[in-house]
Amino acid sequence: MNVGVKEAVSQSQRSRCVLITGATGAIGGALARAYAAPSTHLVLHGRQLETLEALASICRQQGAQVTLSTITLTDDHALKSWLDDLCAGQVPDIVIANAGKNTHPQAPAILEPWADVQALLDINLKTPIAMVQHLVPAMQARGSGQLVLISSLAAWHGLPTTPSYSASKAGIKAYGEGLRGLLAPHGIGVTVVMPGYVTSPMCDAMPGPKPWEWPPERAANVIKRGITANRARVSFPFPLNFGTWWLAVLPAAVSQWLIKRLGFNHSAGTPHD
């Protein structure tokens, strides 16, 4: 369901529109606060209505116009109706598909429950692709737009801690990279964001060490700068990004030996947004 109504349509038509899903999460909330300013129309989506309304209040105090939604993103009919209604009033200038989740094996050599895997793939991979499908025609007609897809440093090489999560983030990374070249002639930019560990309940729930963990505000500022510059990839922090990048380019046997040697097995955590 949508929460609230469109506010000051004539004003919103003159404002930059920034759509953020997963706004009740750590990175999503920090991004909303980073973008909140006069002449900005924030469209914030989240599952926790009370948290979403509190975030909206902060953003409005900073001068932003705010519209809220709590629709089920994995319901394609509801997603299409929501985005069609939004585009009828104002096509978003920036779309940050940030909503996501994680799952991990509960013990060594135990696969993640299939229902959890399906739910993860629905929100981490299928939903952002569906959003692109619904939004790009309107962006093409206008001749501009910026799509931001949230991947993870776990996309560089699948980790035993979260094989399904790694797969979903590798998939959205590859999709965003391909999409960037496809949409560039239409004036539409695509940025793939690959965070490491960012302080959040999802991060806290993961076992093991979390090297170079960043606060969400720092992550949001780096992401915002990358979006403004239309960077193809925004990955951080540098030490962890550099190390995980090597896992992608070294022979697989060497990478897997390093993962085990460094403790990134079932007892350890994995980078996630």
Side-chain angles (χ1 to χ4, degrees):
M1 59 174 286
N2 286 327
V3 180
V5 295
K6 295 186 179 74
E7 304 170 1
V9 174
S10 60
Q11 175 187 345
S12 72
Q13 289 172 343
R14 297 191 298 272
S15 302
R16 175 178 64 171
C17 180
V18 181
L19 187 160
I20 304 172
T21 63
T24 52
I27 292 179
L31 282 167
R33 293 188 294 272
Y35 275 103
S39 299
T40 298
H41 175 201
L42 287 175
V43 179
L44 305 179
H45 175 278
R47 295 176 299 170
Q48 305 166 46
L49 179 56
E50 186 174 341
T51 303
L52 197 62
E53 289 177 333
L55 175 64
S57 179
I58 293 171
C59 293
R60 289 182 179 117
Q61 290 173 15
Q62 294 177 207
Q65 176 196 347
V66 184
T67 301
L68 305 181
S69 175
T70 59
I71 68 152
T72 301
L73 293 175
T74 53
D75 180 337
D76 194 58
H77 177 74
L79 179 65
K80 184 178 186 304
S81 295
W82 174 51
L83 295 178
D84 284 349
D85 287 347
L86 179 63
C87 288
Q90 181 183 15
V91 179
D93 298 286
I94 300 172
V95 175
I96 305 175
N98 173 69
K101 64 183 302 182
N102 201 348
T103 185
H104 57 92
Q106 299 303 304
I110 301 298
L111 295 178
E112 301 139 304
W114 178 235
D116 292 350
V117 172
Q118 288 180 302
L120 179 146
L121 293 175
D122 281 347
I123 191 65
N124 288 9
L125 185 59
K126 291 173 64 178
T127 291
I129 293 176
M131 291 179 66
V132 169
Q133 290 280 329
H134 298 318
L135 288 166
V136 161
M139 288 183 170
Q140 287 176 317
R142 184 183 58 192
S144 66
Q146 187 77 21
L147 299 167
V148 184
L149 304 177
I150 308 298
S151 179
S152 165
L153 292 185
W156 287 124
H157 190 287
L159 300 179
T161 42
T162 55
S164 298
Y165 178 86
S166 298
S168 71
K169 294 305 185 179
I172 204 62
K173 171 182 174 291
Y175 181 71
E177 289 166 348
L179 205 63
R180 183 176 172 91
L182 178 66
L183 297 180
H186 301 275
I188 301 171
V190 180
T191 297
V192 174
V193 179
M194 300 177 67
Y197 296 101
V198 176
T199 303
S200 66
M202 188 165 78
C203 182
D204 293 342
M206 293 301 297
K210 300 171 181 68
W212 296 288
E213 182 176 334
W214 277 17
E217 292 76 17
R218 183 179 182 184
N221 288 334
V222 168
I223 293 169
K224 184 181 176 184
R225 287 199 299 270
I227 294 170
T228 300
N230 186 27
R231 289 181 54 190
R233 181 184 299 139
V234 178
S235 51
F236 58 85
F238 172 77
L240 193 58
N241 177 54
F242 186 67
T244 51
W245 175 81
W246 273 105
L247 295 177
V249 298
L250 288 170
V254 175
S255 296
Q256 290 163 8
W257 178 84
L258 284 170
I259 287 170
K260 184 176 181 180
R261 182 78 174 178
L262 294 171
F264 286 91
N265 48 32
H266 180 73
S267 64
T270 182
H272 55 77
D273 54 285

